[in-house]
Amino acid sequence: AQSVTQLGSHVSVSEGALVLLRCNYSSSVPPYLFWYVQYPNQGLQLLLKYTTGATLVKGINGFEAEFKKSETSFHLTKPSAHMSDAAEYFCAVSGADAGNMLTFGGGTRLMVKP
Amino acid sequence: NAGVTQTPKFQVLKTGQSMTLQCAQDMNHNSMYWYRQDPGMGLRLIYYSASEGTTDKGEVPNGYNVSRLNKREFSLRLESAAPSQTSVYFCASTWGTDNTEAFFGQGTRLTVV
């Protein structure tokens, strides 16, 4: 069975500081990995995804994530936080061992201080 | 450019009442999903429809039923609502079940009292 763990349900950073949101997964087959963002009172939208190929993936709004198979991790980073980045972020995994269904982590709420 | 549309946006039910959440997508996607979102638990899959005419249970199907009315529409029904079903419900769609991007509706906030 596949699962996703997001370390830290709440992360607070200052504007301009590095953003690091952690995601670890378990999957018995090579996974597909996703980060979604949810702004208040809205649905989720895709930030970036890893399927195959280059392990450093760039997404929208300056975010990127690196797939590290040896660490079973897919951490999300952004060099400089902006106030508009305040939102909830979800890591998700899918793989053939779960019928390619998306399994989500518990989410991390990012707060950005002025 | 509507994408995925859910109705209603908000609903309050009394315990034991029934209701149907509606979802429609205009992207000609084959697969559709219903999730519930609860604090600290992320999104959990209730039911999904890999293609028109098929539906399957997800992680938390108890107390729910679904209907894939046609390729565009996928409804979720609560036959006898319980307080434990208080949640935010999201409908999503994908081209297939092969890890392409999922598109989400705006959500339905349901409170069962």
Side-chain angles (χ1 to χ4, degrees), chain A residues 40-43, chain B residues 5-14 17-22 34 78 85-90 106-112:
Chain A
N41 301 313
Q42 294 189 26
Chain B
T5 303
Q6 290 182 235
T7 56
K9 287 187 169 52
F10 300 94
Q11 183 72 50
V12 179
L13 290 179
K14 294 183 179 178
Q17 286 185 317
S18 62
M19 80 161 293
T20 300
L21 281 63
Q22 306 287 354
W34 277 105
L78 287 71
Q85 295 177 304
T86 293
S87 187
V88 181
Y89 292 85
F90 286 98
Q106 300 265 10
T108 297
R109 187 173 295 274
L110 175 67
T111 302
V112 182

Side-chain angles (χ1 to χ4, degrees), chain A residues 49-101:
Chain A
K49 67 178 179 182
Y50 169 79
T51 53
T52 59
T55 57
L56 182 62
V57 180
K58 295 187 185 300
I60 60 172
N61 301 336
F63 284 93
E64 62 182 35
E66 186 171 11
F67 169 54
K68 292 187 176 181
K69 184 178 179 180
S70 61
E71 298 177 8
T72 60
S73 69
F74 191 56
H75 301 330
L76 181 71
T77 60
K78 181 173 180 177
S80 177
H82 192 273
M83 297 296 290
S84 60
D85 294 327
E88 189 152 21
Y89 293 80
F90 292 93
C91 182
V93 63
S94 69
D97 60 343
N100 291 322
M101 291 296 108

Side-chain angles (χ1 to χ4, degrees), chain A residues 32 34 36 38 41-46 49 51 88 90 94-95 99-107, chain B residues 33 35 37-45 48 90 97-107 109:
Chain A
Y32 298 131
F34 305 80
Y36 284 84
Q38 183 182 31
N41 301 313
Q42 294 189 26
L44 280 70
Q45 62 185 85
L46 183 69
K49 67 178 179 182
T51 53
E88 189 152 21
F90 292 93
S94 69
N100 291 322
M101 291 296 108
L102 276 173
T103 298
F104 286 87
Chain B
Y33 311 81
Y35 291 90
Q37 182 182 22
D38 301 291
M41 303 187 74
L43 277 75
R44 292 180 292 167
L45 184 63
Y48 67 99
F90 286 98
T97 55
D98 59 352
N99 312 307
T100 51
E101 178 182 354
F103 289 81
F104 285 82
Q106 300 265 10
R109 187 173 295 274

